[in-house]
Each structure stands twice: as structure tokens, then as C-alpha cells.
Amino acid sequence: MKKERMKDLFRDWRVLALLILLVLSVIAIYPHFDNNGNLTTNLQYGLDLQQGAWLQLEFKAEVVGFTTTEPVDTFVTNLSKSLDTDVIQVDASHLEIRKSFTQAELEPYFAAEGGTVVSYQPGISAATADLVKQILEQKINAMGTKDAKVNTLTGLNNVARYVRVEMAGVDMNQAQQIIGKQGKFEIRIQTTGNSTEHVLYGDSITSVQVPSQSPAGSGNWGVGFTLSEDGASTFQSAAIKYGATVDPSNHKLAMLLDNQTVYSAPLSQQLAGSLQSEPTRELFASTGTGTNGMQEATNLEIQLRAGALPVDVSVAGSGSTSASLGQHYMTMCLIAGILALIMVAFVIFYRYREPRIVLPMVLINASEIVILLGFISVIKFQMDLPTIAGLIAVLGTGIDQLVVITDEILHEGIVPSPNVYLKRLARALTIIVIAAATVLIAMLPLALMDLSTLKGFAIITMMGVIVGVVMTRPAYGKIIMEILSE
């Protein structure tokens, strides 16, 4: 009879789905021995659990609310010239000034150009913060650094004042070199066949504009950039020398970053004609139309900067973790997890005094952790101390919900009939779903906001709740029914 009941249990889709997910999670985690005979997995560890360094950088810029009696375009252009820096219009009433000024220093400049400072906030706009994040990520990836995280800390007013960079596996000196390093940017002109000749290096580019549509009105997206006076003369001479001004289609302009071609296109007829007579400092690299053209323009802007950020930064904070300290933290986290599971088992046994109830509860609880670790491994999420805290929190909330199911079923101290059992199980699951919804709502702001040290905790807690409601609670309800029916 018992064998038949066990077969029926494992044929149940809820139990079967749980077992399949457990097997897939173990495969994703892939525990194995490395070449040195040490047990390792596919899990990636963050800065807290291995050697690494972090830097918090402060943007030397500000977002200013303004009013003006002048046309906005004229006002922005004149202000940019008087301040000798890039001034970007964020929206109808805010400007981003990419240089460090106090509000008192800005007010005379605004007044001179026919404007007034309405509000002042140190930092950069959310769009520029996203660009900074992409530049830093590309720079870190180009250096071959693994397990790196870049988080811009953006407030509710959409102004970011800081960016935090975490790099596991490197020391502080390496981290500072990687952040400060620029790539080698080069412009070349096609001569004959696939041969090209050097024209300029990136130091001849004095400024790079944000992606925009062509001023000619063609609808093409692209990036405008400005050459120095010497760079413009050199560019004109090379274009004439190699025939790009008279035969643009066979003498394309190529841009390379660290010897990799990032852009290649012929000169426009208008630019080719103007270069015949005079140097041109203002250039526009067209990338195409539509969404794809806009994305290509964004990528090209990053390449043109060659790793240089659009605004200056200063180090507002830094820190590092040694290899021995990271190993100590990892060991303590493992001990904390095991102790948490043991304490859960002890409390459950003290409550029910029935091993047949305690064992399924503990195993179901442990299975949630394995499934979450498999999920972490698949998405390459870094495990750090907040993530570990989230896993331990899942142990606690998970066992609470299993107790709700068990107590609801044993409401009168006896095993109910199958029909009554299903009604009580449905009522228990309803309570659990409502409780899970409150946890998800509470954790959602932490998961979405740029609080990098708390994101891991929030995401893992939310995933634990979802896995519990969708997978482990229904499976436990079926398992405990079979056990109590005996």
C-alpha cells in the first residue's frame, strides 16, 4: 500500500515539477572539484566574499532649474560659451552643466545671458548617468575584469550624484587604473582596396555631443563631435590627399577603438565639398534611421569618448576586501545558513513532536534555497552579504508558511477527510498568497531603487516568495496530505 501511495505521490504534477526544478538547479550550480582538488561551483561571488575593491565617484556637475526671456536654444548656446563647458537641456526647465559650479557662481552667468537660476542640484541627469554606466561597464569589460558591478545612485528627482563601481578579484591600485584608463581611439581613411592610413587620434576630439537626428532633416540619427583646430586642418589635408573629397564612396572614414573598427562610412557630399576649400571642426557621424539608428548612435557616442566620462568625477569613497577576509566571510555565511536550518528543524520538532512532519518541512525549506541558488547561477547574479541575508530570510518566511498549511490542516487535531482537507489547504494557500503579495510590495522599491547594497536582499527575497507560492507550497500540501493520511 505504501509503495502505491509513494508512486502516486511522485506522479503528482506538483511534486514532479518540484523534483525536476531541483535537478535543474543542481545542474546549474554544478558543484565539482577544480584542478587543485577544491570543491567549487558556478556561483559567482561579489565583493564581500572574495578579494576586490570598490570606488564611489562623485560627479562634478549640476542640474539647474531655470527661466529665460531668450529663445532656449540661443540661451543654452550662449551659456555654454560663457561657462566654457557643455550645457545640456534636460527638459523644458532644467539644464545639466557638465562642470562644477556653486549656485552663487552660476547666477551672474545666467543673468548675463537673460536667465535666472530657479533650483540647483549637484549631480547629473538620469540619461547622462545611464551613459556613464555604459561607458564604465564597457571599459571594465574591455580590461577583462569579471564580476564587476556599476550602479549609479539616482534620487527621486532623477538626478544622480554618485556612481559606485565594485570589482571583485582586483586590488585598489588595479581598480583605480581601470577606472582612469582611456582606450586608444583613432580615425583612418581608406586609400586603395582595404588599406587605410592614419589621420587622427582621439586627443584631437575636443567634445562629443549627445545622439541626435541629422540637422539636415533627413531623419538619420548620429553623433556630432568637434575637432581641435590642428585636428581639423590635419583631417582636411588627409581627406584631400587620399581622394575622400572627390570620391567619398571609395575612400571611407573609419573609426577604431583599441584597433577594433567601431564605425565606417563615406563622407557626405556636403562635407566632402566643404573640405575642398576649408577645414571643418564640426562633424556629424550618421548611424541610420529608426530605433536601430538611435541605438547605434548611443554606442558610437561611447566609442568616441574612448572611455572618457562626459563629466569629471572625484573619488568620494573607496574600500577593499582582502582574499583572507572574503574567505572568512564566506565560511561564516555557510555556518550561518546551516545553523539557521538546524534551528528551524528544532523549532518545528518542538512544536509538532512528529518526525514525519518535521522532515518534509525541512527538506522543502532546503529545496527552496537550492532552487534560488540555481536561479542565481543561471542569471550570473553575484552573491554578497545582502544576498546571503535574503536567503536566510527566505528560510524564515518559508517555514512560517509551511506552519500555516500544517496548522490549518490539523485545525481540530485530527486528519480531515479528503474533501475537508482540500478546502483547508485552499484556505491556507489563500492566506499564503496574500502574505506573499505584501512581501513583494514591500520589497519592490528596494529592488527598483539604486540602493546597490540592498538590491540583492530584495531580489532574492522576492524570488523566494515567488518560488514558494508557485512551486514548493503546493507540493508540500500534497506531500503532507499523504503523510497525515497514514
Side-chain angles (χ1 to χ4, degrees):
M1 182 65 179
K2 285 187 177 181
K3 288 183 178 180
E4 288 299 320
R5 297 182 75 123
M6 288 296 291
K7 287 181 180 179
D8 290 340
L9 179 63
F10 286 111
R11 288 194 192 106
D12 186 85
W13 69 268
R14 291 159 290 192
V15 177
L16 191 60
L18 176 61
L19 292 174
I20 292 172
L21 193 56
L22 271 173
V23 171
L24 292 176
S25 297
V26 172
I27 293 172
I29 297 169
Y30 187 45
H32 62 283
F33 292 96
D34 59 18
N35 295 332
N36 298 322
N38 300 318
L39 182 64
T40 185
T41 65
N42 282 345
L43 294 170
Q44 293 187 4
Y45 301 104
L47 193 59
D48 298 330
L49 304 179
Q50 62 175 318
Q51 177 188 358
W54 63 268
L55 293 169
Q56 184 156 307
L57 308 175
E58 182 179 8
F59 299 116
K60 311 306 288 183
E62 48 278 333
V63 175
V64 179
F66 76 101
T67 59
T68 180
T69 56
E70 302 294 323
V72 175
D73 290 345
T74 303
F75 174 71
V76 170
T77 301
N78 293 339
L79 188 63
S80 178
K81 290 178 180 178
S82 61
L83 292 174
D84 191 26
T85 189
D86 290 335
V87 177
I88 308 299
Q89 186 175 358
V90 178
D91 55 37
S93 59
H94 290 85
L95 299 176
E96 176 184 278
I97 300 173
R98 293 180 172 179
K99 193 174 181 179
S100 182
F101 292 97
T102 64
Q103 182 171 349
E105 290 172 336
L106 287 174
E107 286 173 346
Y109 287 100
F110 273 69
E113 304 301 339
T116 305
V117 176
V118 176
S119 63
Y120 175 91
Q121 181 68 44
I124 58 178
S125 65
T128 304
D130 186 58
L131 173 63
V132 168
K133 181 176 181 178
Q134 292 181 58
I135 291 172
L136 287 173
E137 287 175 339
Q138 185 182 72
K139 184 187 296 189
I140 292 168
N141 291 337
M143 295 295 293
T145 304
K146 297 180 179 179
D147 301 338
K149 290 196 295 187
V150 179
N151 290 292
T152 52
L153 307 180
T154 305
L156 296 176
N157 56 359
N158 281 329
V159 175
R161 189 169 182 180
Y162 300 98
V163 59
R164 180 183 172 95
V165 183
E166 299 178 3
M167 287 174 281
V170 301
D171 58 30
M172 183 58 69
N173 288 334
Q174 286 177 296
Q176 291 177 337
Q177 288 175 3
I178 290 170
I179 295 302
K181 180 180 175 60
Q182 278 190 251
K184 177 187 173 184
F185 188 84
E186 183 182 11
I187 296 178
R188 300 178 71 89
I189 285 184
Q190 181 183 1
T191 53
T192 57
N194 292 325
S195 299
T196 59
E197 286 292 334
H198 167 77
V199 179
L200 297 171
Y201 285 116
D203 56 5
S204 295
I205 299 175
T206 58
S207 66
V208 179
Q209 282 74 54
V210 296
S212 61
Q213 290 183 295
S214 171
S218 62
N220 281 335
W221 282 91
V223 180
F225 59 99
T226 305
L227 299 177
S228 63
E229 290 186 7
D230 290 341
S233 297
T234 303
F235 182 72
Q236 180 198 23
S237 300
I240 294 173
K241 177 180 177 181
Y242 298 115
T245 57
V246 294
D247 187 13
S249 60
N250 289 317
H251 299 280
K252 293 182 179 180
L253 186 72
M255 300 180 185
L256 294 84
L257 180 61
D258 292 332
N259 297 321
Q260 297 292 321
T261 301
V262 296
Y263 179 82
S264 178
L267 301 180
S268 67
Q269 292 294 336
Q270 181 182 357
L271 177 59
S274 66
L275 285 173
Q276 286 278 33
S277 57
E278 60 181 355
T280 300
R281 292 189 62 192
E282 304 292 335
L283 302 177
F284 186 84
S286 179
T287 56
T289 59
T291 304
N292 186 61
M294 182 176 65
Q295 184 59 52
E296 289 294 326
T298 301
N299 293 337
L300 181 59
E301 180 192 7
I302 295 171
Q303 314 287 357
L304 282 167
R305 295 186 184 279
L309 300 180
V311 295
D312 290 335
V313 294
S314 62
V315 177
S318 63
S320 61
T321 303
S322 65
S324 58
L325 187 59
Q327 185 62 44
H328 172 72
Y329 285 156
M330 194 180 301
T331 302
M332 295 304 294
C333 287
L334 181 61
I335 293 173
I338 293 172
L339 286 177
L341 199 59
I342 291 173
M343 289 303 298
V344 163
F346 176 78
V347 171
I348 294 303
F349 182 78
Y350 180 79
R351 178 177 178 82
Y352 294 107
R353 308 297 177 92
E354 175 56 68
R356 291 183 304 168
I357 295 177
V358 175
L359 188 59
M361 274 192 175
V362 173
L363 290 178
I364 286 290
N365 217 11
S367 71
E368 288 183 27
I369 303 302
V370 174
I371 291 170
L372 286 176
L373 290 175
F375 170 75
I376 290 171
S377 181
V378 169
I379 66 172
K380 305 297 181 185
F381 194 82
Q382 288 185 12
M383 287 187 63
D384 50 17
L385 292 179
T387 304
I388 301 292
L391 291 172
I392 294 175
V394 168
L395 278 175
T397 57
I399 209 68
D400 284 347
Q401 294 175 1
L402 297 181
V403 168
V404 169
I405 292 175
T406 307
D407 283 359
E408 187 69 27
I409 291 169
L410 295 176
H411 176 62
E412 297 174 353
I414 58 173
V415 180
S417 64
N419 288 336
V420 175
Y421 176 91
L422 292 175
K423 289 180 181 178
R424 291 182 179 177
L425 178 61
R427 189 163 56 196
L429 291 177
T430 300
I431 295 171
I432 288 169
V433 168
I434 295 172
T438 60
V439 173
L440 291 175
I441 292 170
M443 291 293 111
L444 191 60
L446 292 180
L448 295 179
M449 291 177 67
D450 291 318
L451 301 173
S452 59
T453 54
L454 296 177
K455 261 191 173 182
F457 173 80
I459 291 172
I460 294 305
T461 303
M462 292 172 69
M463 285 305 305
V465 168
I466 293 171
V467 168
V469 170
V470 175
M471 191 62 61
T472 56
R473 307 295 177 265
Y476 174 76
K478 177 63 178 177
I479 293 170
I480 202 68
M481 180 179 72
E482 293 296 333
I483 291 173
L484 294 179
S485 296
E486 296 183 4

